[in-house]
Each structure stands twice: as structure tokens, then as C-alpha cells.
Amino acid sequence: MDFSPGLLILCFLVCSVVSQPGISVEPRAATVRQGESVSFRCQVGSDAAESVEWKRTNNQALQDNVKIGPGGSVLTITNARPGNQGQYRCTVQTAAGRKSATAALNVKFAPKVRLTPAGPLRVRMGDPVSVECRAAGRPRPKMTWKRQGSTLQLVTKEANDANIIQWPVVHPEDAGVYICQAENSEGMTEIKVELFVEGGPGAPVASVSATEMTVVEGHTVMMACQASGSPPPVITWSKLRAPLPWKHTVDNGVLTLTGVGRQDSGQYICNATNEHGYSEAYTQMEVESPPYATSLPDQVKLRPGDSLVLQCLAHGSHPIQFEWSRVGRPSLPAGTETTKAGKLMIARLRTSDSGTYKCVATNHIGTSEALAKVVVRGEAVAV
């Protein structure tokens, strides 16, 4: 096969940089994670080495975590960091002259993210604004934008290694916290920026007294919404992807929910509207409930020698713990087994095991009890 003179010259230059006859570096290339260590060994052929020298091929000084072993043939990088990435050249002086070979190091690390501008951003309604997200990491990170409180990925533009979120015209409802996420095989990093929209003349700006709340089932909950603007905005409330609970009232911007249940959990939206526009603010409510315990069965008649299995069930906010006891007795009968899932078992019953058994279900809100009556009568069943 024929090669052009240009290709031959290129091959000569590249090959002469990588290694020369009689010298090599093992390994020729290595990939490590940030924080790991790696060593390169400079190996010389039959010629005796008078001196061995290691340098970065970019002529930068070796960093403080790069050490040369006795004799100079081994270069070790401990607790590798991104700045250690690059090529390292081993140069050996022998009686026959100087020889060199290179090794390449690739350092993988989790993304590091920065925003331009860093925020918080205060923008007048109707003005444009954009934020650039840049991420360093190896492998190259994938960047995405989302709004806090939402899992939807936002439409963005990529340019000059940056992921850019843009608002050609800012509206009041654009106010909020936005998150840039950068992810590669080494991890995921996120950074937030808050956007404040300052209204034009008279435009409404809504805010809520609490953006997140956790309440107990059965309680009455009040959510307050305030709104500035001229003329004074009209305030209404709605619930994301569902109607407002049946037992609700709205008075002077305050939404009152009476006797809330777990089904009332969700995102509530305050909307302020006047002739100049509208503005939204959000409250996320989670309803938690104490346990409600039952026993299956709640009464049972058995014979001596039969086995007993009682299952305690409980509805309510998890986690729920179960504890069995025997009413009027200091402890459960000998041989009784209980499980974390609320089960009580006695393999072979005796008449003395008759009685009332109590299960107590507990979560971080409260407790609930369930009783099971056990009657053991008659003669033992022959085995």
C-alpha cells in the first residue's frame, strides 16, 4: 500500500511523540474516577538508564499529588482530580542518547455547574431574559432545565456548550425557581435560580402565606393569598388537575378547607386577575392521617392444639409499627411469634391461651387499637 509523503511525515511525528524504540510506558492510557489513584511505569530496553525524568507534555509543572518513585521510573497520581488529566512524558537518558514515551490520563468526575447570570433575577413584566447553564464533567454531562415543583423538562436552546433557558417576554406566571440539572455516569448536580417578575403599571402580583404545608386528616386548613395591583385584582383559587374539595370557602383571598382528607392532598393555585394581566402563586398541601387498626379475625373459637393466626391491619400514613399484647396479662403466651407486618402466631394453642389480644398500630401522628377475642375450648385434636 502506498502512502503520500504528508501521511508519512504525520505518522513519523505522532509515533515519535508516543514512544521511541527501546522505551515504553505502561499503561499507555488510563481512565480513573476523581479521587482514585493510578501509576505509570517507564520501561527501558537493554540500554542502561542514566537518568529518568517525567514532565507534562503541555510543559505545566507536575501537581502536588503527583509523585515520582525511587529511581524515577514510576509516576503515581494519588487522589486524582480533573486538573491531572492530560499526557505525561517519560524521558530517559542512556549512553545511546535521549529517549521518550508518553502516557495519557483521563479523569472522570461528576458535573460542576454554574449559571450566568447567577441570580436571583428581577425582571420587569414584558422584558426578555435568558440564563445560561454550563457544566464541566467527564464524561460530558447532559443538561436539562425544569421548574421547581414540576417534573416536566423545559424547552431550551443549546449554544456554545451552554444550555440556555429563555423568556422572550416575561409574564407574571413565569416567576418561580428554575433548576438546571447536569448528569453523567459519575453523578448528578443541580443549581437553582429564582426569577422575580416585577409588574408593569397596575399588573397583579400574587403571593401565598405558605408554599408547602403538611396537615393532619380531619383538621381545618386555611391558605391565604395576597395580591398587589391596580385596580385591586380579583383572587380565585383552584386545584391542579382536580376540583376544589366540596367543603371549602373563599373569603378575602383566604381558602378554607374543612375536615380535610388524604384525597385533598395536592397543589392549590391562587390566581389574581385584573385588566392588566394575571399572576399565580402555588401551595403544595400533603394530608397525613393517624392509623386506623382492625384485626382479622376479631374473634375466633379453637381447640387445644390448633394454630392461631391473627393479622393486624391499619390504614394511615406510613410507616406504621404494630405491637401485640394480651389484655390483663403482663406478656404474651410462651411460644407466641409476632412480625413487623402485624401478624401474631401461636403454633399449638392451650386452653390457658384464651383471652383478648390487643394490637396497637402507631405512626408519627398517633395510635389506634384493635382487639381480637380468642376462645380455646374442648379436647385436643389427636395428631
Side-chain angles (χ1 to χ4, degrees), residues 153-177:
Q153 183 175 325
L154 300 176
V155 177
T156 57
K157 183 180 78 171
E158 294 191 13
N160 301 323
D161 294 328
N163 195 299
I164 306 167
I165 186 170
Q166 296 177 312
W167 294 267
V169 177
V170 169
H171 299 285
E173 62 271 21
D174 294 325
V177 177

Short mmCIF file of all heavy atoms in Angstrom, two decimals, residues 153-177:
data_model
loop_
_atom_site.label_atom_id
_atom_site.label_comp_id
_atom_site.label_asym_id
_atom_site.label_seq_id
_atom_site.Cartn_x
_atom_site.Cartn_y
_atom_site.Cartn_z
N GLN A 153 -39.66 18.52 31.73
CA GLN A 153 -38.44 19.11 31.21
C GLN A 153 -38.79 20.29 30.32
O GLN A 153 -39.67 20.20 29.46
CB GLN A 153 -37.65 18.06 30.41
CG GLN A 153 -36.31 18.57 29.87
CD GLN A 153 -35.54 17.47 29.20
OE1 GLN A 153 -35.59 16.32 29.61
NE2 GLN A 153 -34.84 17.80 28.13
N LEU A 154 -38.14 21.43 30.55
CA LEU A 154 -38.46 22.65 29.81
C LEU A 154 -37.74 22.69 28.47
O LEU A 154 -36.65 22.11 28.31
CB LEU A 154 -38.09 23.88 30.65
CG LEU A 154 -38.79 24.00 32.00
CD1 LEU A 154 -38.27 25.21 32.77
CD2 LEU A 154 -40.29 24.10 31.82
N VAL A 155 -38.32 23.38 27.52
CA VAL A 155 -37.71 23.55 26.20
C VAL A 155 -36.62 24.60 26.30
O VAL A 155 -36.86 25.73 26.77
CB VAL A 155 -38.76 23.97 25.15
CG1 VAL A 155 -38.11 24.20 23.81
CG2 VAL A 155 -39.85 22.91 25.04
N THR A 156 -35.43 24.24 25.90
CA THR A 156 -34.29 25.15 25.99
C THR A 156 -33.50 25.14 24.68
O THR A 156 -33.81 24.39 23.75
CB THR A 156 -33.34 24.74 27.14
OG1 THR A 156 -32.92 23.37 26.93
CG2 THR A 156 -34.05 24.82 28.48
N LYS A 157 -32.47 25.98 24.63
CA LYS A 157 -31.61 26.07 23.44
C LYS A 157 -30.18 25.76 23.86
O LYS A 157 -29.74 26.16 24.95
CB LYS A 157 -31.70 27.48 22.84
CG LYS A 157 -30.90 27.65 21.56
CD LYS A 157 -31.02 29.06 21.01
CE LYS A 157 -30.13 30.03 21.77
NZ LYS A 157 -30.06 31.37 21.13
N GLU A 158 -29.46 25.05 22.99
CA GLU A 158 -28.05 24.76 23.25
C GLU A 158 -27.18 25.55 22.29
O GLU A 158 -27.42 25.55 21.08
CB GLU A 158 -27.78 23.26 23.12
CG GLU A 158 -28.49 22.42 24.18
CD GLU A 158 -28.01 20.98 24.20
OE1 GLU A 158 -26.97 20.71 23.57
OE2 GLU A 158 -28.67 20.15 24.84
N ALA A 159 -26.17 26.22 22.85
CA ALA A 159 -25.25 27.00 22.04
C ALA A 159 -23.96 27.20 22.81
O ALA A 159 -23.98 27.49 24.02
CB ALA A 159 -25.86 28.36 21.68
N ASN A 160 -22.84 27.00 22.13
CA ASN A 160 -21.51 27.23 22.73
C ASN A 160 -21.34 26.48 24.05
O ASN A 160 -20.91 27.03 25.06
CB ASN A 160 -21.27 28.73 22.95
CG ASN A 160 -21.34 29.52 21.66
OD1 ASN A 160 -20.90 29.05 20.61
ND2 ASN A 160 -21.90 30.72 21.73
N ASP A 161 -21.72 25.17 24.03
CA ASP A 161 -21.58 24.30 25.20
C ASP A 161 -22.40 24.77 26.39
O ASP A 161 -22.11 24.42 27.53
CB ASP A 161 -20.10 24.18 25.62
CG ASP A 161 -19.27 23.47 24.56
OD1 ASP A 161 -19.82 22.60 23.87
OD2 ASP A 161 -18.08 23.82 24.42
N ALA A 162 -23.43 25.57 26.15
CA ALA A 162 -24.31 26.02 27.23
C ALA A 162 -25.74 25.60 26.91
O ALA A 162 -26.13 25.51 25.74
CB ALA A 162 -24.23 27.53 27.40
N ASN A 163 -26.51 25.33 27.97
CA ASN A 163 -27.93 25.05 27.83
C ASN A 163 -28.66 26.29 28.33
O ASN A 163 -28.52 26.68 29.48
CB ASN A 163 -28.31 23.82 28.65
CG ASN A 163 -29.65 23.27 28.26
OD1 ASN A 163 -30.66 23.94 28.37
ND2 ASN A 163 -29.67 22.03 27.81
N ILE A 164 -29.44 26.91 27.45
CA ILE A 164 -29.99 28.24 27.72
C ILE A 164 -31.50 28.16 27.83
O ILE A 164 -32.18 27.62 26.95
CB ILE A 164 -29.60 29.23 26.61
CG1 ILE A 164 -28.06 29.22 26.40
CG2 ILE A 164 -30.09 30.63 26.93
CD1 ILE A 164 -27.61 29.92 25.15
N ILE A 165 -32.03 28.72 28.92
CA ILE A 165 -33.47 28.87 29.07
C ILE A 165 -33.79 30.33 28.80
O ILE A 165 -33.10 31.24 29.28
CB ILE A 165 -33.93 28.43 30.48
CG1 ILE A 165 -35.45 28.47 30.57
CG2 ILE A 165 -33.29 29.25 31.57
CD1 ILE A 165 -36.01 27.82 31.83
N GLN A 166 -34.84 30.56 27.98
CA GLN A 166 -35.14 31.91 27.52
C GLN A 166 -36.61 32.25 27.75
O GLN A 166 -37.48 31.39 27.65
CB GLN A 166 -34.83 32.05 26.02
CG GLN A 166 -33.36 31.88 25.67
CD GLN A 166 -33.14 31.96 24.17
OE1 GLN A 166 -33.84 31.31 23.40
NE2 GLN A 166 -32.16 32.75 23.76
N TRP A 167 -36.85 33.51 28.06
CA TRP A 167 -38.19 34.09 28.09
C TRP A 167 -38.18 35.33 27.19
O TRP A 167 -37.68 36.38 27.60
CB TRP A 167 -38.60 34.50 29.50
CG TRP A 167 -38.75 33.38 30.48
CD1 TRP A 167 -39.89 32.70 30.78
CD2 TRP A 167 -37.73 32.81 31.32
NE1 TRP A 167 -39.66 31.76 31.74
CE2 TRP A 167 -38.34 31.79 32.09
CE3 TRP A 167 -36.36 33.05 31.48
CZ2 TRP A 167 -37.64 31.03 33.01
CZ3 TRP A 167 -35.66 32.29 32.39
CH2 TRP A 167 -36.29 31.29 33.14
N PRO A 168 -38.67 35.22 25.96
CA PRO A 168 -38.69 36.41 25.08
C PRO A 168 -39.50 37.55 25.69
O PRO A 168 -39.15 38.71 25.56
CB PRO A 168 -39.32 35.89 23.79
CG PRO A 168 -39.09 34.41 23.82
CD PRO A 168 -39.16 34.03 25.26
N VAL A 169 -40.60 37.19 26.36
CA VAL A 169 -41.44 38.17 27.04
C VAL A 169 -41.85 37.57 28.38
O VAL A 169 -42.52 36.54 28.43
CB VAL A 169 -42.70 38.52 26.22
CG1 VAL A 169 -43.58 39.50 27.00
CG2 VAL A 169 -42.32 39.09 24.87
N VAL A 170 -41.44 38.19 29.47
CA VAL A 170 -41.72 37.64 30.79
C VAL A 170 -43.13 38.00 31.23
O VAL A 170 -43.56 39.16 31.12
CB VAL A 170 -40.69 38.17 31.82
CG1 VAL A 170 -41.11 37.83 33.24
CG2 VAL A 170 -39.32 37.57 31.53
N HIS A 171 -43.85 36.96 31.74
CA HIS A 171 -45.19 37.15 32.29
C HIS A 171 -45.14 36.91 33.81
O HIS A 171 -44.23 36.23 34.30
CB HIS A 171 -46.18 36.19 31.64
CG HIS A 171 -46.31 36.37 30.17
ND1 HIS A 171 -47.00 37.40 29.59
CD2 HIS A 171 -45.80 35.64 29.12
CE1 HIS A 171 -46.95 37.32 28.28
NE2 HIS A 171 -46.22 36.25 27.96
N PRO A 172 -46.11 37.42 34.54
CA PRO A 172 -46.10 37.21 36.00
C PRO A 172 -46.05 35.75 36.40
O PRO A 172 -45.39 35.39 37.38
CB PRO A 172 -47.41 37.88 36.45
CG PRO A 172 -47.68 38.91 35.41
CD PRO A 172 -47.19 38.33 34.12
N GLU A 173 -46.74 34.89 35.62
CA GLU A 173 -46.75 33.47 35.99
C GLU A 173 -45.40 32.79 35.75
O GLU A 173 -45.22 31.63 36.15
CB GLU A 173 -47.84 32.72 35.21
CG GLU A 173 -47.66 32.73 33.71
CD GLU A 173 -48.31 33.92 33.03
OE1 GLU A 173 -48.57 34.95 33.71
OE2 GLU A 173 -48.57 33.84 31.82
N ASP A 174 -44.45 33.48 35.11
CA ASP A 174 -43.11 32.90 34.92
C ASP A 174 -42.27 32.97 36.20
O ASP A 174 -41.21 32.34 36.27
CB ASP A 174 -42.37 33.61 33.78
CG ASP A 174 -43.03 33.40 32.43
OD1 ASP A 174 -43.55 32.28 32.22
OD2 ASP A 174 -43.03 34.32 31.61
N ALA A 175 -42.72 33.76 37.17
CA ALA A 175 -41.96 33.88 38.42
C ALA A 175 -41.87 32.51 39.10
O ALA A 175 -42.81 31.74 39.09
CB ALA A 175 -42.62 34.90 39.34
N GLY A 176 -40.72 32.23 39.65
CA GLY A 176 -40.52 30.95 40.34
C GLY A 176 -39.07 30.56 40.39
O GLY A 176 -38.17 31.34 40.04
N VAL A 177 -38.81 29.34 40.84
CA VAL A 177 -37.45 28.80 40.95
C VAL A 177 -37.23 27.80 39.83
O VAL A 177 -38.04 26.89 39.62
CB VAL A 177 -37.24 28.13 42.32
CG1 VAL A 177 -35.84 27.50 42.40
CG2 VAL A 177 -37.43 29.14 43.45
#
